Amino acid sequence: MTLLRVLSVTSEIYPLIKTGGLADVAGALPAALADCGIAVKTLVPGYPAILAAMPAAETLLEHGSFFGGPARLLSGTHQGLELLVLDAPHLFARPGNPYLGPDGKDWPDNAVRFAALSRMAADIGLGAIAPLVPDIVHAHDWQAALAPVFLHYHWGPRPGTVMTVHNLAYQGLFPYETLAAVGLPPASFTVHGLEYYGQVGYLKGGLQFADRITTVSPTYALEIQTEDGGMGLAGLLRERSAVLSGILNGIDTSVWNPAADPDIAMRYSSDALSQRAANKVALQRRFGLDSKPDAPLLGVISRLSPQKGLDLLLANLDKVLSDGMQLALLGSGDRDIQDGYLAAARLHPGRIGVVIGYDEALAHLIQAGSDMLVVPSRFEPCGLTQLCALRYGAVPIVAGVGGLADTVVDAGQIDAGQIEDGATGFKFAPVTADGLAGALRRAVAAFHDKVAWHRLQRNGMATDVSWRNRATRYAELYHDILATRRIATHHVATS
Ligand code: ADP
């Protein structure tokens, strides 16, 4: 079988630049797809962190002026990833967060920065570098969403296109003038094009024109077609439901492997769960918590945005404390939520520990040392932290939405002395403070029944959270697009 070639287009990629789950997916999927006979090259912006990691990159293309300044397309590899890098210093030579300036606000030229990334993807798709013509251009999130749009407006043969939504809340909305500035035709500014309540919607364009749309869990694929979950795009998504599907994310099980994790105090497997205790001790020490092996220890690793529902946990702190639980929270974001947790930690030292920031190694220790991982999101396209928690034997307590609903099997009413077969955690709905309180109550009851608890942990650790089967779904999707396009071309040629 001939190798199918995919150009993946993303604004983040682990381990080089990451603000969230998108980077994890973009970094792990290529290796999993290689096992399915799919060769992936990934186009990324030339941020300083990326250029520094590729000192031996080769120049494939040079433009004297590309979206307002000189640009090059570089090619190189990093830890097995085959990268194409858009080196355009006027757009990307900015350290730190890929989207925000030092004032914490979006860079004012984000519309141009990510249109340039998408334009380069479309150019590669159309053969700008002769030996590298992909069969499929796969765009991730709004930052890459103009790639299918530019390809749609190209007259002549083009590769197949996939638009993957990692989070519909971020749509890339810009003023009308953007259209001309980035080279989109005026005809694209309609309800059936990029127009979104008077603005230009990048993600809307990608959703409108890609051959296939995917999102990162089956439940989220349904939720985004409802008025409640559709963030203004439900109608479009319902219209395109025949080409919309949900494919669950996996995690990189070599990066997230408790039996070989360099960032934890003691490595362990599901046959030696008692060794987790050393990680709990290390975690309690790191967060200034009382050294109590029997206190149920809740972990949180999260962006602190309203989406993540951590205000609901804050509203439950009395319960957490009265039930003898401890809390270790790592995260950053919304100032009010941060301040709320910092104040609680000051009031209850030894019981509540908070680290504000982003710390990959500490995230591993939390997974290995906490008894339960709490993810009370109001909506969650897939969620990765609960997948890591399953793998690490930290029992997830999650809101029953999106990918959280799809990946955690609820334990039922533990108070009745039984846990459901195959159960891996605790889910609650509706997503309210009371709902979370109920799940915490059930989790603590189970924690004190060691037989039931170990069964929950082992079930979680036996769950397949790897990319293997999920990558197969992407491979099938790519083949399906090409087969459909071949049939369409055949009809045109013979009619
Ligand atoms: P989202 O992409 O919405 O932020 P996901 O659960 O899909 O949420 O992915 C989040 C990823 O970022 C996970 O890999 C998680 O471990 C990581 N992460 C989130 N916040 C932090 C943090 N403060 N420190 C370290 N890792 C974090």
Side-chain angles (χ1 to χ4, degrees), residues 147-383:
V149 178
F150 286 129
L151 287 167
H152 170 82
Y153 285 105
H154 168 81
W155 195 88
R158 61 162 180 85
T161 52
V162 180
M163 180 76 241
T164 293
V165 181
H166 295 263
N167 192 336
L168 197 64
Y170 302 99
Q171 299 189 4
L173 295 177
F174 301 104
Y176 168 74
E177 296 69 38
T178 307
L179 212 63
V182 304
L184 285 164
S188 65
F189 197 68
T190 70
V191 173
H192 297 291
L194 283 81
E195 191 271 338
Y196 184 88
Y197 297 100
Q199 291 188 288
V200 177
Y202 280 21
L203 183 63
K204 183 183 175 193
L207 295 174
Q208 201 77 263
F209 296 126
D211 295 325
R212 293 285 196 286
I213 301 168
T214 73
T215 186
V216 288
S217 68
T219 295
Y220 193 58
L222 295 176
E223 288 170 351
I224 59 178
Q225 296 179 58
T226 67
E227 292 312 313
D228 275 355
M231 310 257 175
L233 293 172
L236 187 174
L237 290 163
R238 279 198 300 270
E239 251 171 53
R240 301 215 68 208
S241 63
V243 296
L244 164 64
S245 58
I247 303 178
L248 274 176
N249 285 336
I251 55 171
D252 186 330
T253 46
S254 60
V255 173
W256 294 98
N257 179 5
D261 190 326
D263 294 319
I264 65 179
M266 183 174 285
R267 297 171 188 174
Y268 60 96
S269 64
S270 59
D271 327 322
L273 276 173
S274 57
Q275 289 169 352
R276 285 188 97 249
N279 294 305
K280 185 164 177 177
V281 169
L283 185 59
Q284 285 171 327
R285 197 171 299 140
R286 177 73 171 76
F287 277 82
L289 301 173
D290 298 337
S291 159
K292 284 193 177 163
D294 293 330
L297 174 45
L298 302 175
V300 172
I301 306 159
S302 188
R303 288 187 294 118
L304 302 180
S305 77
Q307 173 198 340
K308 299 293 179 178
L310 287 161
D311 51 310
L312 306 179
L313 183 60
L314 209 48
N316 268 297
L317 281 189
D318 282 350
K319 171 160 192 57
V320 167
L321 295 166
S322 65
D323 284 358
M325 292 182 246
Q326 297 180 330
L327 171 65
L329 175 139
L330 167 65
S332 65
D334 189 289
R335 184 50 68 87
D336 287 347
I337 305 176
Q338 269 181 207
D339 289 349
Y341 279 102
L342 286 170
R346 273 194 302 275
L347 267 177
H348 306 285
R351 305 290 308 280
I352 295 175
V354 172
V355 172
I356 299 299
Y358 191 93
D359 186 333
E360 198 80 38
L362 187 53
H364 284 243
L365 182 63
I366 293 176
Q367 295 287 13
S370 57
D371 297 303
M372 305 147 193
L373 190 93
V374 190
V375 194
S377 306
R378 292 197 163 80
F379 68 94
E380 192 59 78
C382 178

Side-chain angles (χ1 to χ4, degrees), residues 470-484:
R470 286 107 192 237
T472 313
R473 297 280 316 280
Y474 281 104
E476 287 165 0
L477 181 84
Y478 298 146
H479 282 293
D480 193 42
I481 294 172
L482 295 186
T484 313

